[in-house]
Structures are given as C-alpha cells and as structure tokens.
Amino acid sequence: MLEGSTTRIKTGIILILAMLILGYIDSYFLFWLVFGVMLMISISESKKLYDLKSDSIYVYTALLWFAAFFYPMPVDLIFIVAIGYASQLAYKRSLNKKLFLPLLYPTASFLFLLALYSEFGVMTLLWLLVIVASTDIGAYFVGRTFGKTKFCETSPNKTVEGVIGGVVFAVVLGTILAINEINIIEAILISAIVSFASVFGDLFESYLKREAGVKDSGSILPGHGGILDRTDGYLFGAIVMLVLLRIVI
C-alpha cells in the first residue's frame, strides 16, 4: 500500500514538472503535440470503455487533430467530423454508431483545451490546473474528515461534504491565482463553476469505467491509471472555462 502511494506521488511530481516546463516554454506547437499524443492515448483507452473494435477512429482523430493545428477555431472542427460521420452513416447504413462517442469524449474536450490555450494563453491553462487540482485535493481531505452523506450512486466514495469542500478550496485558490483580465467576482464565479464541472468530469469517467467493468481507463501512468483517469476533470472543466471566458472577456 505504501509502495503504491509512493509511486503515485512520484508520478504526480513528474507530471507537474512536465506541465510547468511546457508552460514555461509556452509554444503552441508543443502544446498541440503533447495534447495530441495524450488524445491518441485517450482514444485507445476510450475504445475499451466504449467496447469499440474499429481502428478507423485513430485515422479520423489524427486527421482532425492535424487540421486543428492550422485552423484558428479548432472547436468548429468537431461539427465537420460529425457531419462526415453522419453522411457516411446515411450513405453506407453500416457505420458503427459507437464511433460518435469518442468524438464527444475525449476528442471534443481536447479541442476545447487547445482552444483555451490558443485564445487566452498559457496562464489560463495554469488557472484551470489549479482549480481542478485543488478541487480534487479539497474533496479528498474534507471528505475523509467530515464526509458522511453519499453524493451519488455512481461513485460511492464521493460525499456531499467532500464535494462542497473541494469547490470551496478551488474557489479560494482559483480566485487568488485567476488571470488578470477578469475582476474578482468573475474569478469567484468561474472558479466555482469550473470546479463543479470538474467534479462531474470525474463522475462521468467513473460511470464509463463502471459500465465497462474496469478499475482504470489504462495503465500508462504508474499509480494513476490512464490518461483519462488523470484528465477527466480537466476535460469537462476546459469546456466550461472556455465558454465562460468568452462571455466575460
């Protein structure tokens, strides 16, 4: 048990250092490349969660991500691919409908992450990192100390007290470390909403794993599981943060 915790901590430290280095370099190409690699691994993991046998999803996803590098509004490309899927389905009447699922999760979420960086800069990604990480940390410690009320059936270990504690912790740190372009009221509201969204990102991943009958989405990150296990909160939080920042800035 202790060895597993040590491995988890070491992996977590490496991931944080890697993200800090990536943020310091602040290169669109590097973010696109790293997010792209993470996306392709996530697609592999999602195939298991969705029980999807076809490998054609790798081709569709790679082409979509390649186009996203050149197109200034990468989120728009989701709809182009969706139209392509629908057209092929209508024409051939044999397309596996499950191919739509990875387009929504995780592909769309990674496009929102890329758009968040492209439109609002690297400090916004750091802000998202702080909000989601502090939500997880706050929920863990408050839940263990005060948690009594089950939050939902999907994740029996989540408690109402833990979720509230996580959101409060995220609001405090998120407000302190918010980007300069917004005022304090906007920082509080965005931190709270993104934090709550990240809770449901984690919950959705738990639902998918429960339905698939697996403990983790993958095993590429020692002590943490797969890419989707580690990024689930960010994949929901990024979408909400991008929409909110487009409103206030």
Side-chain angles (χ1 to χ4, degrees):
M1 186 73 172
L2 181 60
E3 183 180 349
S5 299
T6 303
T7 301
R8 182 179 177 86
I9 292 171
K10 288 179 179 178
T11 303
I13 291 172
I14 292 172
L15 290 174
I16 291 172
L17 288 175
M19 289 307 298
L20 290 176
I21 292 171
L22 191 62
Y24 178 77
I25 296 173
D26 193 9
S27 162
Y28 181 81
F29 172 75
L30 279 181
F31 271 108
W32 172 83
L33 183 63
V34 171
F35 284 160
V37 171
M38 293 171 64
L39 171 58
M40 297 307 291
I41 297 172
S42 297
I43 290 296
S44 176
E45 295 173 358
S46 69
K47 281 186 62 185
K48 178 173 62 177
L49 297 178
Y50 296 133
D51 190 27
L52 184 61
K53 306 301 182 185
S54 173
D55 288 332
S56 62
I57 187 64
Y58 291 115
V59 177
Y60 296 136
T61 304
L63 290 173
L64 172 62
W65 197 253
F66 180 76
F69 180 77
F70 299 98
Y71 187 67
M73 301 289 286
V75 175
D76 296 353
L77 297 174
I78 300 169
F79 302 101
I80 300 298
V81 176
I83 289 173
Y85 280 179
S87 299
Q88 188 177 352
L89 176 61
Y91 181 74
K92 296 177 65 175
R93 301 180 63 185
S94 61
L95 182 69
N96 187 348
K97 298 179 181 67
K98 287 184 179 180
L99 283 174
F100 281 94
L101 297 177
L103 175 64
L104 299 175
Y105 179 89
T107 306
S109 295
F110 273 97
L111 285 170
F112 271 87
L113 266 173
L114 185 64
L116 188 64
Y117 171 70
S118 176
E119 293 182 32
F120 298 104
V122 69
M123 294 307 296
T124 308
L125 290 182
L126 177 61
W127 188 27
L128 176 66
L129 176 66
V130 168
I131 292 173
V132 177
S134 56
T135 301
D136 289 342
I137 294 170
Y140 176 77
F141 285 105
V142 174
R144 286 196 62 178
T145 306
F146 303 105
K148 294 180 180 179
T149 311
K150 184 185 296 185
F151 184 65
C152 70
E153 295 297 329
T154 303
S155 185
N157 293 329
K158 282 192 186 301
T159 63
V160 173
E161 295 84 358
V163 170
I164 293 173
V167 172
V168 170
F169 193 39
V171 168
V172 173
L173 288 182
T175 302
I176 294 172
L177 297 174
I179 57 176
N180 297 326
E181 290 82 357
I182 61 176
N183 61 47
I184 188 170
I185 300 300
E186 292 168 343
I188 292 172
L189 290 175
I190 292 175
S191 296
I193 296 171
V194 170
S195 172
F196 200 57
S198 75
V199 171
F200 280 91
D202 178 68
L203 204 60
F204 181 65
E205 179 68 15
S206 296
Y207 165 77
L208 291 179
K209 290 187 290 188
R210 186 176 290 268
E211 289 293 301
V214 297
K215 181 178 182 295
D216 296 315
S217 66
S219 57
I220 194 170
L221 301 174
H224 289 262
I227 295 294
L228 289 176
D229 292 312
R230 192 64 271 151
T231 60
D232 47 15
Y234 301 94
L235 295 182
F236 271 40
I239 296 174
V240 174
M241 178 174 278
L242 179 63
V243 172
L244 293 174
L245 287 179
R246 283 176 172 175
I247 293 172
V248 302
I249 296 181

